[in-house]
Amino acid sequence: MTVVAEPGSPPFDAAKLDALLERAGVDAVLATSRHNVRYLLGGYEFFFFAHFTAIGVSGYLPCVVYAREQPESAFYVGNPMERLPLEREPLWIPSIDTSSWTTVGSARAAAAAVRRLGLGRGTIAVERSFLPDDAREALELELPGATFMEARPLLAELRAVKRPDELELLRRVADEIVLGMLAVIDSGLPGSTTSRLAEQIRVDQTVRGLASEYCLVAASPSRNRAPSSERWQSGGVSLDSGASLGGYIGDLARMGCIGDPTPRMEELLAEIAAVQDAGRAAVAPGRTGEEVYAAATACQAQCGDGALMTFVAHGMGLVSHEVPYLAESDTVPYSPDDRIRPFEPGMVLSIETDLYDDAVGYVKLEDTVVVTESGHEAYGDRGRGWNIAGTGGQSPTGG
Amino acid sequence: MTVVAEPGSPPFDAAKLDALLERAGVDAVLATSRHNVRYLLGGYEFFFFAHFTAIGVSGYLPCVVYAREQPESAFYVGNPMERLPLEREPLWIPSIDTSSWTTVGSARAAAAAVRRLGLGRGTIAVERSFLPDDAREALELELPGATFMEARPLLAELRAVKRPDELELLRRVADEIVLGMLAVIDSGLPGSTTSRLAEQIRVDQTVRGLASEYCLVAASPSRNRAPSSERWQSGGVSLDSGASLGGYIGDLARMGCIGDPTPRMEELLAEIAAVQDAGRAAVAPGRTGEEVYAAATACQAQCGDGALMTFVAHGMGLVSHEVPYLAESDTVPYSPDDRIRPFEPGMVLSIETDLYDDAVGYVKLEDTVVVTESGHEAYGDRGRGWNIAGTGGQSPTGG
């Protein structure tokens, strides 16, 4: 079934997308990942499949079809259950198909939209890591004259600079995550398992209206951050949690302590904070990821425990590592080009420094730092010292 | 990185899987969906990626490789962050690779495992709706002599009959979902938006330790079940919510009411309950989905409002519609063979009947009915009448 209403305006920078498609020689892009479908729909996600996609003999595969310089012809493929809610609260995209329960059915509906646009022999960009194999085959069968290529870099670049409404969500989610961590630390009882602490964070974030994604938690002196039966008996605890609001991710890390921290604990966290602050001081329009890394690693080199530390910075938004890709590690691939690309206002970085000390355990701060017109601003920027359990958040070093 | 520990015993019926693979001519199966990876790992899911899979330039793609009649050679491909937790709490599968952050990297690691098994020219079953296109291409490049086929029916059949530990999770999640609905209805304030009711359910389920999946909610007299700004002012409300525990899904629907229900409301819900009860009465070992549908539709034909009703029954477990596929609709595909296949103890059905009446609104019951040795048992089987707000759960018809 196809519903056609009055077309609206794209909620994203359509001229930028058109330019990206033009430069890549792409006629139309098919978005099928949760994050890019949501982005192109201006925040909409069908709530029913927010947590799982499998149903029946296949799965849910939403798809946005966008042809270059034809926003008025954009097309959305959803699920039959979306029909009624989308009649009541229409998308900016007037043309939708809600007939399919399967990945192959979604692909066929998307292919039909491409053909109606006269692009059956065009170059079509698809998200290969988020396009199921059977849907890809259906696209190829239905569009035998088309050429397919990877859409990921184009859509990642489209999302690189955040609008004020996106920044507002990122600010709120960061604030709420940190407030939740401080509340959970404050209520911390000696002997809680790390599983219990992670569950407290999950409940707290849910009550705050967030979608809780995960909580890494390490109780001194363990270096294991997976929630487990290990207990927070004394000393420090590291909380590193992700949650989202409207799909936008907050990912921050704070430290808690039972009783006063020892001088050694104070020293280690001060060193971590110094490296974090050195990194963020280099965040401003026109500056680069290379400068952020240079500043942080220079500070790290001056720290007595610098050799224990790992510093990482990466873009963040609807995906927890996104443009600019700055992380230099053997795991998350990064882009050398992004390292020397000038920051623009509206880019969002997650900056993180951690270390493991045999006696103190795992120590980490992770902050959300946004490039502003005049420099940078940190969201959720409280509680960066040792937050002491049972003090009502009034810890001397809890900042 | 590959970690090899002592092998354990498969937590599923390996002989059944071997027979299914043998009959289909399959040498090895590669599971890549969340539900089948979890099933083959005996319940394990890496918590970090339970809610999202996108990260960096690709996504998380766990994979279980199982070669026919070689459980001792089973292989798991995970993410670098899983290394430490899996060292502390090993899987039954001794051989794991946790080196990759990308879908292509996971596919390459899985292909290498297939080659080490000497099956590079074998027949490999993959989950085509849950295998990203770029991972499929990597498999084909790394295993140029292999033949690929669809794994879905084999793995769906493997999961058809639930073990006692699976049934216990299904019982608990059904019980908790219904208790939560009754609590939210009882606390219902006239004028609540359906969005607020859905959010109350989400928080309630989270506090109960469940993973809240969705809540469909319709306030009389609307037929819209998507949470919205519509208000529950008076009369009935329909709650239809899914949540999971250890991945196992509960999906039940109950009715609430502000003040006493009218005779017409009582009549409609009694008719719905009668159709539900007729359907479940036909659930027993050796009986079939065809009999369930025949019994329910015979009762429906005798109801004064039978023409308004829709009756559906479907298997349920780690997927919300799974074997036996009984639903006869134009949307979720079903299997004619499953309709005439004798039920076995341990199969789990979700049975649902709904109607829409212009004056009363949307009325629905959905129940979880399990095939037992002697017949059937319903999980979470309370509150099937009108549950009246503000009565502390002591409603006259709330059952």
Side-chain angles (χ1 to χ4, degrees):
Chain A
M1 171 184 205
T2 302
V3 176
V4 179
E6 286 301 306
S9 297
F12 52 85
D13 186 343
K16 181 175 181 180
L17 179 54
D18 291 337
L20 288 163
L21 297 179
E22 171 85 37
R23 197 179 317 150
V26 172
D27 296 301
V29 61
L30 271 56
T32 51
S33 66
R34 276 173 55 181
H35 48 284
N36 283 323
V37 166
R38 189 196 276 267
Y39 188 80
L40 295 176
L41 295 180
Y44 172 81
E45 178 182 63
F46 181 44
F47 70 96
F48 191 86
F49 289 108
H51 299 289
F52 63 87
T53 61
I55 191 166
V57 296
S58 180
Y60 176 61
L61 185 69
C63 180
V64 174
V65 180
Y66 180 92
R68 195 178 73 229
E69 292 169 14
Q70 298 187 56
E72 70 286 356
S73 303
F75 195 84
Y76 175 60
V77 180
N79 171 281
M81 286 189 285
E82 291 176 79
R83 196 177 304 154
L84 197 53
L86 288 182
E87 280 174 11
R88 289 170 170 264
E89 297 185 36
L91 302 172
W92 75 271
I93 292 181
S95 303
I96 70 175
D97 182 305
T98 55
S99 61
S100 169
W101 283 89
T102 66
T103 53
V104 167
S106 291
R108 288 186 183 143
V114 171
R115 279 198 306 269
R116 285 195 298 273
L117 287 162
L119 297 175
R121 305 190 66 78
T123 298
I124 312 298
V126 298
E127 295 191 81
R128 299 195 61 198
S129 296
F130 297 94
L131 178 68
D133 176 43
D134 56 1
R136 182 270 318 165
E137 183 184 61
L139 285 178
E140 290 185 350
L141 289 172
E142 300 282 328
L143 300 170
T147 303
F148 295 94
M149 59 171 286
E150 176 63 76
R152 190 199 58 72
L154 308 175
L155 294 171
E157 180 57 33
L158 178 66
R159 304 196 319 271
V161 173
K162 276 67 178 172
R163 300 179 307 269
D165 60 299
E166 296 178 275
L167 294 175
E168 179 56 24
L169 289 170
L170 286 160
R171 177 197 298 277
R172 282 173 55 199
V173 73
D175 280 343
E176 296 290 347
I177 287 171
V178 172
L179 288 172
M181 286 180 172
L182 299 187
V184 169
I185 290 169
D186 188 52
S187 71
L189 300 173
S192 285
T193 64
T194 56
S195 281
R196 183 178 159 81
L197 289 166
E199 183 65 11
Q200 283 182 269
I201 290 286
R202 187 178 82 102
V203 169
D204 176 276
Q205 291 172 344
T206 304
V207 169
R208 290 173 188 273
L210 314 183
S212 184
E213 309 277 0
Y214 62 84
C215 184
L216 299 160
V217 49
S220 173
S222 176
R223 74 185 314 155
N224 176 36
R225 300 205 296 152
S228 73
S229 58
E230 293 176 3
R231 292 180 186 279
W232 184 29
Q233 300 282 12
S234 61
V237 71
S238 159
L239 297 177
D240 179 357
S241 180
S244 63
L245 189 64
Y248 288 86
I249 293 170
D251 178 9
L252 298 102
R254 294 291 181 263
M255 300 301 302
C257 189
I258 293 175
D260 288 330
T262 63
R264 177 64 175 149
M265 289 165 73
E266 294 278 21
E267 177 181 44
L268 287 173
L269 187 51
E271 291 180 30
I272 292 275
V275 172
Q276 287 286 96
D277 293 346
R280 77 163 69 170
V283 176
R287 303 192 71 175
T288 66
E290 197 166 71
E291 292 176 72
V292 170
Y293 267 81
T297 50
C299 178
Q300 183 180 346
Q302 293 180 332
C303 290
D305 302 283
L308 300 176
M309 290 183 196
T310 305
F311 172 84
V312 175
H314 55 89
M316 190 178 68
L318 288 170
V319 176
S320 58
H321 287 237
E322 64 175 37
V323 174
Y325 299 110
L326 308 177
E328 187 176 57
S329 78
D330 58 351
T331 48
V332 181
Y334 83 104
S335 160
D337 290 344
D338 274 11
R339 270 288 184 99
I340 55 171
R341 158 194 189 151
F343 291 139
E344 299 169 60
M347 285 184 167
V348 178
L349 303 181
S350 189
I351 295 183
E352 36 188 323
T353 308
D354 67 4
L355 64 76
Y356 178 71
D357 175 271
D358 286 335
V360 169
Y362 190 81
V363 183
K364 175 170 184 175
L365 289 179
E366 181 166 7
D367 299 312
T368 301
V369 180
V370 179
V371 185
T372 62
E373 294 290 342
S374 60
H376 64 266
E377 180 183 357
Y379 290 168
D381 208 38
R382 68 181 80 195
R384 297 171 78 239
W386 287 102
N387 299 286
I388 303 175
T391 55
Q394 302 303 312
S395 75
T397 66
Chain B
M1 171 184 208
T2 302
V3 176
V4 180
E6 287 301 306
S9 297
F12 52 86
D13 185 343
K16 181 176 181 180
L17 179 55
D18 291 337
L20 288 164
L21 298 179
E22 171 85 38
R23 198 178 316 150
V26 172
D27 296 301
V29 60
L30 270 56
T32 51
S33 66
R34 275 172 56 182
H35 48 283
N36 283 323
V37 167
R38 189 196 277 265
Y39 188 80
L40 295 175
L41 295 181
Y44 171 81
E45 178 182 63
F46 181 44
F47 70 96
F48 190 86
F49 289 109
H51 298 290
F52 62 88
T53 60
I55 192 165
V57 296
S58 181
Y60 175 62
L61 185 69
C63 180
V64 174
V65 180
Y66 180 92
R68 194 177 73 227
E69 292 169 10
Q70 297 188 58
E72 70 285 357
S73 304
F75 196 82
Y76 175 60
V77 180
N79 171 279
M81 285 189 286
E82 290 175 82
R83 195 177 303 154
L84 197 54
L86 288 181
E87 279 174 12
R88 289 169 171 264
E89 297 186 35
L91 302 172
W92 76 271
I93 292 181
S95 303
I96 69 175
D97 182 305
T98 54
S99 61
S100 169
W101 283 89
T102 66
T103 54
V104 167
S106 292
R108 287 185 184 144
V114 170
R115 279 199 306 267
R116 285 195 298 272
L117 287 161
L119 297 175
R121 305 191 65 79
T123 297
I124 312 298
V126 298
E127 295 192 81
R128 299 195 59 200
S129 297
F130 297 94
L131 178 68
D133 176 44
D134 56 1
R136 183 268 318 164
E137 183 184 61
L139 285 178
E140 288 185 352
L141 289 171
E142 300 282 328
L143 300 169
T147 303
F148 295 94
M149 59 171 286
E150 176 63 75
R152 190 199 58 74
L154 309 173
L155 295 171
E157 180 57 32
L158 178 66
R159 304 196 319 269
V161 173
K162 277 66 179 173
R163 300 179 306 269
D165 61 298
E166 296 179 274
L167 293 175
E168 179 56 24
L169 289 171
L170 286 160
R171 179 197 296 277
R172 283 172 55 199
V173 73
D175 280 343
E176 296 290 344
I177 287 171
V178 172
L179 288 172
M181 286 181 174
L182 300 186
V184 169
I185 289 169
D186 188 51
S187 71
L189 299 173
S192 285
T193 64
T194 56
S195 281
R196 182 177 159 82
L197 289 166
E199 183 64 12
Q200 283 182 270
I201 291 286
R202 187 177 84 101
V203 169
D204 176 277
Q205 290 173 345
T206 305
V207 170
R208 290 172 189 274
L210 313 182
S212 185
E213 308 276 1
Y214 62 84
C215 183
L216 298 160
V217 50
S220 173
S222 176
R223 75 186 314 157
N224 175 36
R225 301 205 294 153
S228 73
S229 58
E230 293 176 2
R231 292 180 185 278
W232 184 29
Q233 299 281 14
S234 62
V237 71
S238 159
L239 297 177
D240 180 357
S241 181
S244 62
L245 189 64
Y248 288 86
I249 293 170
D251 177 9
L252 298 102
R254 294 291 181 263
M255 299 301 302
C257 190
I258 293 176
D260 288 331
T262 63
R264 177 64 177 151
M265 290 166 72
E266 294 277 22
E267 178 181 44
L268 288 173
L269 187 52
E271 291 181 31
I272 292 275
V275 172
Q276 287 286 96
D277 292 347
R280 78 163 67 169
V283 176
R287 301 192 72 176
T288 66
E290 196 166 70
E291 291 177 74
V292 169
Y293 267 81
T297 51
C299 178
Q300 183 179 346
Q302 294 181 330
C303 290
D305 302 283
L308 300 177
M309 291 182 196
T310 304
F311 173 84
V312 175
H314 55 89
M316 190 178 68
L318 287 171
V319 176
S320 58
H321 286 237
E322 64 175 36
V323 174
Y325 298 110
L326 308 177
E328 187 176 57
S329 78
D330 58 351
T331 47
V332 181
Y334 82 106
S335 160
D337 290 345
D338 274 11
R339 270 286 185 104
I340 55 172
R341 157 194 190 152
F343 291 138
E344 300 170 59
M347 284 184 169
V348 177
L349 303 181
S350 190
I351 294 183
E352 37 188 322
T353 308
D354 68 5
L355 64 75
Y356 177 72
D357 175 271
D358 286 334
V360 170
Y362 190 82
V363 184
K364 176 171 184 174
L365 290 179
E366 181 166 7
D367 299 312
T368 301
V369 180
V370 180
V371 185
T372 62
E373 294 290 343
S374 59
H376 64 265
E377 180 183 358
Y379 291 169
D381 209 36
R382 68 180 80 195
R384 296 172 78 239
W386 287 102
N387 300 287
I388 302 175
T391 56
Q394 302 303 310
S395 75
T397 66

